[in-house]
């Protein structure tokens, strides 16, 4: 028996290698073009950064179980933001604690001094969460640390001077998002500090100075503030700063969600145009969404496609959780208010396979698109536009009788996603709900894009002004598609594309 063990281990290694290439990722509910780890628990995207032609996605990961546990940073890479390859774990817990969320930057000027032979280091800035101190209730168990990589994120060295930002006595003190503020030639850290954001700055990523805080009297406060982001977007010839603040719970459709503010930032203070919350996504399943660093003029956002309300219970095996598709951000003014828009990145077009387009479709009662849409997997993208908004619903269904309904309610001027009959919903009492979102656009014409994977739907309405992301767990793939309207609608343009899998090896 003793001799058989190494052979068994070898077999196991070979098998797991095969898995890593994606050959076997055929489980029920396995996302085909959204990143999910091959096995075990994932939450927030971390350290998203573009470097030398590769997008890096790190993520909160517990490699030993399908539920949240001592956090590591998992790692995946992509050349196109669509097809992701899981890599070896990047950061492991250590004597200072678990590795909580954070960001990564390319230190082009070698301000940190970690670069070697002209090679700019990748620097990860993350929260160390110390479970021992947490038990002792010191209130000082979270502090910020850094690590660097000189081989494009494959191996990391933690800085010997960690933590670089000790805890001043704030229980929730985490999720540093760092970016270079060129006008003052310094790094700015946007940190979630319980019920507000605190900004710090540094010349070298090692020594940090407190600059200011924002938010105690602004925005939604139904839960703790987490995973912030701060970046400028050019809008109508002016630089507008966007501050994203994730919040859990307290979202518009319960549980976790992302709010944002627009305003000015001078390297020290964030001054909002308004203290009212705006929501990044009205669905239940886009949390801890932040943007990639080092992507030039593009702002690319990705979130964790789950919700703390039920993330530990979702019926997937052997993994839990997936991310949203990558989305490109922009700004749009509607009646003097500036809103963020998010649309799927153009790179997603590589997934399109067979498609059909149709103009001027009159829907009165029900139109069955299934015969034209011919789709065995349920993976699709639907783009449609109409001149005059009226009530309608788009029904995704299957032979098992499950239905996922996406639509618009004219009287309420709301979009909605109803997953109450979408399949498996009993793993958590709040899961099987209908979610609503205001239509923010005041245009007459309406357009929407729906992106469906095996267990998720993402709705981008009015060029990304209203966004909803929901996961669902059908008993079999949602192969059928109907559009319904009691009052009647005219669809000007409709395009339907079957999407293919983006898993490596497929
Ligand atoms: C957000 C969050 C972060 C924290 C991490 C721990 O989902 O709670 O605030 O760093 O998850 O896994």
């Amino acid at each position: 028996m003793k001799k058989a063990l190494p052979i068994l281990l070898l077999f196991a290694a070979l098998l797991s290698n095969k898995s890593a290439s994606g050959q076997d990722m055929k489980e029920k509910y396995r996302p085909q073009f959204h990143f999910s780890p091959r096995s075990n628990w994932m939450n927030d995207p971390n350290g998203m950064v573009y470097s030398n032609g590769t997008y890096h996605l790190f993520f909160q990961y517990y490699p030993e179980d399908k539920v949240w546990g001592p956090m590591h940073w998992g790692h995946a890479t992509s050349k196109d933001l669509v097809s992701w390859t899981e890599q070896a774990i990047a950061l492991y817990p250590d004597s200072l604690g678990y590795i909580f969320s954070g960001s990564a930057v390319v230190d082009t000027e070698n301000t940190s001094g970690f670069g070697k032979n002209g090679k700019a280091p990748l620097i990860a800035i993350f929260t160390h969460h110390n479970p021992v101190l947490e038990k002792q209730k010191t209130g000082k168990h979270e502090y910020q640390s850094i690590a660097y990589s000189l081989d494009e994120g494959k191996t990391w060295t933690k800085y010997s001077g960690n933590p670089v930002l000790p805890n001043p006595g704030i229980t929730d003190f985490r999720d540093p998002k760092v970016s270079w503020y060129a006008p003052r030639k310094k790094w700015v850290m946007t940190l979630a500090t319980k019920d507000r954001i605190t900004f710090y700055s540094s010349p070298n990523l090692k020594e940090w100075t407190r600059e200011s805080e924002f938010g105690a009297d602004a925005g939604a406060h139904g839960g703790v503030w987490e995973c912030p982001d701060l970046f400028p977007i050019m809008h109508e010839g002016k630089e507008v700063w966007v501050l994203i603040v994730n919040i859990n719970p307290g979202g518009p459709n319960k549980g976790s969600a992302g709010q944002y503010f627009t305003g000015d930032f001078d390297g020290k203070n964030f001054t909002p145009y308004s203290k009212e919350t705006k929501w990044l996504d009205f669905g239940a399943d886009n949390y801890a969404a932040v943007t990639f660093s080092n992507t030039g003029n593009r702002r690319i956002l990705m979130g964790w496609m789950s919700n703390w309300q039920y993330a530990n219970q979702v019926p997937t095996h052997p993994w839990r959780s997936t991310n949203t598709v990558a989305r490109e951000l922009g700004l749009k003014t509607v009646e003097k208010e500036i809103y963020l828009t998010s649309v799927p990145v153009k790179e997603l077009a590589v997934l399109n396979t067979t498609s059909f387009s149709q103009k001027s479709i009159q829907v009165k009662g029900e139109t069955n698109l299934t015969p034209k849409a011919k789709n065995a997997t349920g993976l699709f993208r639907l783009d449609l536009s109409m001149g005059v908004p009226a009530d309608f619903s788009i029904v995704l269904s299957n032979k098992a009788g499950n239905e996922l309904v996406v639509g618009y309610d004219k009287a309420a001027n709301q979009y909605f996603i109803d997953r109450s009959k979408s399949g498996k919903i009993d793993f958590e009492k709040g899961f099987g709900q209908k979610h609503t979102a205001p239509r923010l656009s005041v245009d007459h014409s309406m357009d929407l894009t729906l992106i469906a994977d095996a267990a998720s739907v993402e709705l981008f309405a009015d060029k990304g002004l209203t966004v909803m992301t929901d996961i669902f767990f059908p008993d079999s793939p949602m192969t059928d598609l109907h559009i319904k309207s009691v009052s009647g609608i005219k669809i000007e343009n409709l395009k339907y594309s079957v999407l293919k899998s983006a898993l490596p090896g497929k």
Side-chain angles (χ1 to χ4, degrees):
M1 192 56 212
K2 261 192 184 155
K3 275 200 179 139
L5 195 62
I7 295 174
L8 277 178
L9 285 178
L10 183 69
F11 255 109
L14 284 173
L15 276 176
S16 70
N17 242 342
K18 178 173 165 260
S19 309
S21 77
Q23 299 291 344
D24 67 339
M25 289 173 89
K26 289 188 181 134
E27 307 94 341
K28 194 173 183 183
Y29 311 133
R30 174 66 81 176
Q32 297 296 307
F33 55 86
H34 291 84
F35 176 73
S36 62
R38 189 177 58 78
S39 58
N40 293 315
W41 170 268
M42 172 176 85
N43 57 289
D44 316 357
N46 294 151
M48 292 191 290
V49 61
Y50 182 63
S51 172
N52 293 318
T54 298
Y55 292 94
H56 293 268
L57 160 68
F58 299 91
F59 50 91
Q60 288 288 277
Y61 188 49
Y62 183 42
E64 281 164 43
D65 205 344
K66 249 176 40 169
V67 290
W68 191 90
M71 283 290 112
H72 300 54
W73 272 26
H75 184 200
T77 53
S78 172
K79 293 283 178 199
D80 63 359
L81 293 164
V82 180
S83 179
W84 292 94
T85 306
E86 193 170 346
Q87 308 288 354
I89 291 174
L91 295 171
Y92 286 79
D94 55 43
S95 61
L96 288 176
Y98 304 158
I99 315 296
F100 269 23
S101 289
S103 49
V105 296
V106 182
D107 184 12
T108 319
E109 308 281 328
N110 197 22
T111 61
S112 61
F114 293 134
K116 244 194 205 147
N117 308 326
K119 168 96 185 135
L122 276 180
I123 315 264
I125 309 98
F126 57 89
T127 300
H128 258 126
H129 175 105
N130 188 321
V132 180
L133 291 182
E134 186 180 19
K135 275 207 192 90
Q136 291 168 3
K137 298 206 185 323
T138 60
K140 293 189 172 186
H141 55 276
E142 291 185 336
Y143 30 79
Q144 320 318 317
S145 293
I146 60 177
Y148 64 92
S149 170
L150 294 170
D151 58 4
E152 295 295 323
K154 283 190 197 71
T155 59
W156 291 83
T157 307
K158 289 183 186 128
Y159 174 47
S160 56
N162 281 339
V164 291
L165 178 55
N167 190 310
I170 303 172
T171 345
D172 297 288
F173 189 70
R174 58 178 177 263
D175 309 340
K177 179 73 200 258
V178 171
S179 57
W180 179 246
Y181 187 75
R184 294 201 183 169
K185 291 203 169 26
K186 62 179 188 178
W187 298 99
V188 170
M189 180 193 290
T190 306
L191 193 69
T193 50
K194 204 181 180 90
D195 60 348
R196 65 198 68 185
I197 297 300
T198 308
F199 298 102
Y200 294 83
S201 74
S202 170
N204 55 12
L205 297 161
K206 294 172 179 163
E207 285 131 30
W208 292 93
T209 308
R210 187 182 180 285
E211 294 287 353
S212 68
E213 63 175 49
F214 163 78
D217 62 347
H221 283 280
V224 66
W225 283 21
E226 299 182 318
C227 299
D229 197 357
L230 176 74
F231 50 85
I233 297 186
M234 284 307 287
H235 179 56
E236 295 169 354
K238 183 173 176 269
E239 193 174 66
V240 172
W241 285 80
V242 178
L243 176 64
I244 292 180
V245 179
N246 286 276
I247 175 170
N248 175 54
N253 278 297
K254 298 221 181 82
S256 345
Q259 61 182 315
Y260 69 91
F261 306 87
T262 50
D264 293 323
F265 183 69
D266 60 4
K268 186 175 177 64
N269 292 294
F270 176 77
T271 314
Y273 300 150
S274 153
K275 289 181 176 175
E276 293 289 305
T277 285
K278 293 191 174 78
W279 297 103
L280 193 61
D281 189 318
F282 289 85
D285 300 297
N286 181 3
Y287 192 57
V290 289
T291 63
F292 279 83
S293 76
N294 205 34
T295 53
N297 288 333
R298 291 182 84 189
R299 268 294 145 194
I300 301 167
L301 175 114
M302 215 153 74
W304 173 47
M305 198 153 58
S306 197
N307 189 312
W308 281 114
Q309 261 191 287
Y310 42 72
N312 278 282
Q313 285 113 274
V314 295
T316 54
H317 184 76
W319 82 102
R320 270 211 183 96
S321 298
T322 176
N323 284 342
T324 67
V325 290
R327 301 164 180 193
E328 184 143 359
L329 301 181
L331 292 172
K332 185 171 165 64
T333 303
V334 180
E335 298 188 319
K336 299 204 176 115
E337 284 287 322
I338 302 178
Y339 291 93
L340 258 187
T341 57
S342 0
V343 293
V345 292
K346 58 180 186 315
E347 286 87 340
L348 278 170
V350 301
L351 297 172
N352 293 356
T353 63
T354 51
S355 64
F356 76 90
S357 300
Q358 208 171 323
K359 284 194 182 314
S360 298
I361 311 173
Q362 198 73 49
V363 180
K364 176 84 184 152
E366 180 170 337
T367 297
N368 184 3
L369 290 177
T370 316
K372 284 206 155 174
K374 278 207 207 68
N375 189 340
T377 59
L379 276 48
F380 71 87
R381 173 181 179 134
L382 177 68
D383 292 285
L384 49 87
S385 62
M386 51 199 100
V388 187
D391 285 354
F392 67 88
S393 43
I394 301 167
V395 184
L396 284 56
S397 59
N398 58 16
K399 306 289 173 282
N402 305 147
E403 278 191 3
L404 188 277
V405 189
V406 181
Y408 173 68
D409 173 343
K410 188 163 185 232
N413 195 28
Q414 281 177 340
Y415 293 102
F416 63 86
I417 299 181
D418 186 349
R419 62 181 177 191
S420 59
K421 299 191 184 84
S422 61
K424 198 151 185 53
I425 57 169
D426 60 359
F427 52 89
E428 194 262 344
K429 67 176 179 345
F431 185 82
Q433 305 276 330
K434 177 177 176 179
H435 302 135
T436 60
R439 179 171 195 240
L440 299 170
S441 173
V442 290
D443 293 350
H444 240 329
S445 59
M446 173 184 267
D447 62 79
L448 39 114
T449 297
L450 269 192
I451 295 190
D453 199 338
S456 63
V457 67
E458 290 161 276
L459 165 69
F460 303 89
D462 303 308
K463 305 205 166 38
L465 205 51
T466 299
V467 179
M468 298 186 84
T469 304
D470 270 10
I471 54 174
F472 59 95
F473 302 96
D475 297 321
S476 63
M478 294 292 211
T479 50
D480 296 4
L481 185 68
H482 293 75
I483 302 188
K484 297 183 183 175
S485 177
V486 178
S487 56
I489 48 158
K490 186 175 169 206
I491 298 171
E492 308 284 355
N493 286 295
L494 178 147
K495 182 171 182 210
Y496 178 94
S497 305
V498 175
L499 301 182
K500 65 180 181 193
S501 174
L503 290 175
K506 289 219 169 163

